[in-house]
Amino acid sequence: MRAIQMANLDHIDPGNSGGSVVIPESGIKFIKREFVYECPSCSDTFKELDHLRRHKADNHPIKRPYLYIRGISSRKPEVTVRTKLDFIDIQFEDADQIRIDDMEFKSDIDRATEFLIKNQRGTHNVMLSNQGYPVEVRIRFEIMEPSVMERVERDFFSAFSNELQLAQQLQLFNEASSKFKSGISYAGPLGSYVTAVMTKDQVQGAALAHEHYVDKLGESLDGLYEFDRSLAGSILSVAAFMKNNFEECFSDNKMPCLKEAKRLFRTGLFYDDFKGQVGNSLIPIDNVSGKIIDFIVSSFEYRLANLPDMEKLSESSQTSMYDRIKIYFLLWIMARQTGNSIKASSLRSRLVHSNFFRDLVQQLEGASN
């Protein structure tokens, strides 16, 4: 909405301001008109504009149109695609008008999708609209050859499969990838993920303060979303867990311990018969996440013996807010299992400040009653 520029009123004589000027009557009788506001969607009429606004919000809410590429919504004005798309990878939602470059597709989603699939090169401007709500997205195709991505992944696994310190492993990977310029857009976000792990753990060689790990993690995610690769998917799944997104994804099938940990945070139930090795030794994971996963997939006796360590971890100043609430939840479950109602009540008061955990706690409490 354009701002209305107010006139400069400095010229008004203070002696004549404040209503002291007499305005003569014009002799013309003013008749107030009765306006009726019509809803553009259903033609219902309203005497008050506010009533129309409430009616539209309740009955005809305008939805933002979205373009999803491999399940990721186009919230950013520009999307880069690094791996070739299939028809199923592109989804439009709530778009009654679609325009790509100079071509009008109206609401023909299949035809618009087919156009993008057949033109995976260069940059395309996609304009979506829903009841006049416009959203513009630029899709930039920079398809990377599979052989290039495979080379980057070989360098990654080679660097992080030895017994060196994490900082030294990262240095090996950076040196290898720097000699392979065509793969830098893939190697970069992989390296950023490892930097995030180092920053969170404050290991030797970490150049950033602990609280900056979230920034590096976000930097990694922004880049890895562009790659439809198993390694990228696995790291995205680990990163989601670090940020308390416990939704199951396809990549979890290759990381059974992580999959089980996510399941617990969706159901609140330990699976005591779980068998498997913690984590994925070829993908670095931060220390606290590793301990949380280890706690979840181990036996009841192990969890009981390690309760004091988990309690200390929950109160450590170096434990992130994401991890702290996860640990509170685990301790709350254990307190309920061991009949420690006082401890459970204390932990519950900390959990209810989180919308996600509050709902889960209430669900579990309801199921046990």
Side-chain angles (χ1 to χ4, degrees), residues 345-363:
S345 177
S346 174
L347 289 163
R348 186 188 190 283
S349 66
R350 299 179 180 185
L351 291 167
V352 295
H353 295 295
S354 161
N355 291 337
F356 174 83
F357 283 102
R358 180 183 63 242
D359 293 343
L360 185 53
V361 164
Q362 292 174 348
Q363 175 186 329

Side-chain angles (χ1 to χ4, degrees), residues 159-217:
F160 295 102
S161 61
N162 55 54
E163 300 300 322
L164 296 174
Q165 296 291 327
L166 191 56
Q168 295 173 308
Q169 293 175 330
L170 179 59
Q171 183 177 355
L172 286 176
F173 177 62
N174 288 338
E175 289 174 353
S177 59
S178 67
K179 300 174 184 177
F180 196 49
K181 300 297 184 184
S182 58
I184 196 66
S185 58
Y186 188 23
L190 291 175
S192 293
Y193 167 75
V194 179
T195 301
V197 171
M198 292 174 56
T199 301
K200 187 179 181 187
D201 285 347
Q202 287 295 283
V203 300
Q204 183 178 1
L208 300 172
H210 171 268
E211 61 270 17
H212 293 300
Y213 87 89
V214 176
D215 297 332
K216 294 303 293 183
L217 199 60

